[in-house]
Amino acid sequence: QSFTPCGNYLVVGDIYGNISVFHLSKLINQETTITKEDQLPKNSFTIKEDVQINSLLTTKSFLIVGTVGQIFGYTWKNVKSSKKPSCSWSIEIPNAKNSFDKPDVNCLVLNEENDLLYAGCGDNNVYVFNVETRKEIRTFKGHKNYVHCLTYSNNKLVSGGEDGLVMMWDLRDNAVVHKIEPHIKDKVCRPELGHWIGGVGINDDWLLCGGGPRLSLWHLRSLNISTVFPIEDKGIHIAEIFQDKIFAGGRSALFYQMSFNGDIITEIPTSPVTTYSAVHQDEPFQTLCIAGSSPKI
């Protein structure tokens, strides 16, 4: 899921290669009655038949779509109105020399200051591309299994993977500064769910991560666990630090908003068995959209 730069539309990708564009104003306006028509997409199109959409990212000029082995860029005019939009540009993910499989592009993050696009992929690598030239700048290697999640803040990039590693990269010298393995900590390990990390969040002082291990907040300076969140889940796929709150979801009947010390502020019932995506904005509509393994948003 992603919002358009103006914030008036929600853009959604599914596992069948379809992009759907919803007009938010009627859906958000509680004064009016929402009709069946209001709940249908304003526009929809297929990127490629039966190629799953794994990640979406909004920039000022483009909707960037991560699929299998490729990243596509579409202009907003095309996304909003064209039934068969042509893509403006594409990037091929480099294939490993001994592999015929194309890696999934599981997560996309943009550093707006220098127009660098970070792509966490199914071949264990994080690729860095220049959005203007589409050229590969470098590759961050270190994960031993596929990369599930990425987040970026203040020259720090954090990646979480199927291998149970959370790696923090300093983008000034492109080196790993911290590496943690939550599953080796008794406080958070859940051997029955595995090592994998499904969601990471970061700000200047704190690192948030969860997956098979319980959702936990780590102090960046000491790399000690400060809070283990008391939520009912069978795996975390969303972990975000937003202002002074924590957003979290995954294989659970609820989506959570919590304080840093673990107090639950809001529990939102969800329809999917597993929530894979949550996006929010303040302007022009204060909106949180949650989606996952369900036909409903």
Side-chain angles (χ1 to χ4, degrees):
Q1 297 181 101
S2 196
F3 296 110
T4 54
C6 62
N8 289 316
Y9 300 89
L10 172 70
V11 183
V12 181
D14 66 22
I15 58 170
Y16 310 106
N18 302 316
I19 295 277
S20 302
V21 183
F22 295 91
H23 205 299
L24 284 176
S25 61
K26 287 179 180 170
L27 296 171
I28 299 301
N29 187 350
Q30 293 174 346
E31 309 295 311
T32 59
T33 309
I34 297 173
T35 66
K36 198 81 182 148
E37 199 173 321
D38 294 336
Q39 291 174 291
L40 295 172
K42 175 188 177 290
N43 190 30
S44 56
F45 58 90
T46 304
I47 299 248
K48 267 188 178 180
E49 292 291 340
D50 290 330
V51 171
Q52 65 203 35
I53 291 166
N54 297 315
S55 45
L56 289 179
L57 179 69
T58 288
T59 74
K60 291 187 188 80
S61 308
F62 298 104
L63 172 69
I64 300 181
V65 184
T67 63
V68 180
Q70 276 183 303
I71 300 169
F72 298 99
Y74 289 86
T75 63
W76 286 113
K77 185 181 172 191
N78 274 347
V79 169
K80 289 178 192 173
S81 55
S82 175
K83 292 292 175 198
K84 286 191 173 175
S86 55
C87 92
S88 297
W89 51 264
S90 66
I91 296 170
E92 293 270 342
I93 301 299
N95 248 19
K97 290 184 177 68
N98 56 356
S99 172
F100 294 106
D101 291 337
K102 292 185 171 183
D104 290 350
V105 182
N106 292 323
C107 39
L108 292 167
V109 172
L110 180 72
N111 179 348
E112 289 180 1
E113 287 167 29
N114 55 16
D115 261 357
L116 291 183
L117 177 68
Y118 299 89
C121 294
D123 60 359
N124 317 346
N125 295 329
V126 178
Y127 294 96
V128 188
F129 299 100
N130 182 308
V131 175
E132 286 287 310
T133 64
R134 265 76 75 186
K135 294 276 189 291
E136 185 187 338
I137 305 293
R138 66 185 59 88
T139 305
F140 290 136
K141 295 175 182 283
H143 281 284
K144 299 178 182 71
N145 210 325
Y146 45 89
V147 178
H148 276 301
C149 46
L150 284 178
T151 189
Y152 164 82
S153 173
N154 259 357
N155 282 313
K156 291 188 185 74
L157 183 77
V158 180
S159 56
E162 183 69 12
D163 54 5
L165 284 176
V166 178
M167 302 185 80
M168 188 184 301
W169 314 81
D170 188 322
L171 299 179
R172 285 163 299 200
D173 52 14
N174 301 310
V176 176
V177 283
H178 297 304
K179 193 189 287 190
I180 62 172
E181 296 181 85
H183 66 270
I184 64 175
K185 300 284 187 182
D186 290 342
K187 277 185 187 176
V188 296
C189 73
R190 296 187 286 189
E192 72 282 7
L193 297 180
H195 294 172
W196 59 276
I197 297 295
V200 288
I202 190 175
N203 66 10
D204 288 347
D205 301 308
W206 301 100
L207 171 70
L208 178 70
C209 57
R214 290 193 176 282
L215 184 70
S216 52
L217 190 68
W218 301 60
H219 199 272
L220 274 182
R221 285 193 191 85
S222 64
L223 289 184
N224 288 327
I225 297 172
S226 165
T227 307
V228 179
F229 293 92
I231 59 179
E232 289 296 315
D233 72 274
K234 293 284 189 290
I236 292 291
H237 290 278
I238 294 158
E240 184 188 350
I241 298 173
F242 178 66
Q243 294 167 355
D244 58 348
K245 296 185 183 66
I246 303 291
F247 288 143
R251 194 177 168 93
S252 169
L254 299 168
F255 186 86
Y256 295 93
Q257 180 178 295
M258 294 170 286
S259 67
F260 279 42
N261 62 7
D263 294 337
I264 294 172
I265 300 164
T266 322
E267 295 180 330
I268 302 171
T270 60
S271 66
V273 173
T274 305
T275 297
Y276 288 114
S277 165
V279 290
H280 52 86
Q281 64 175 10
D282 285 331
E283 296 289 338
F285 312 107
Q286 214 168 22
T287 319
L288 168 69
C289 298
I290 301 167
S293 54
S294 153
K296 293 179 182 171
I297 301 166

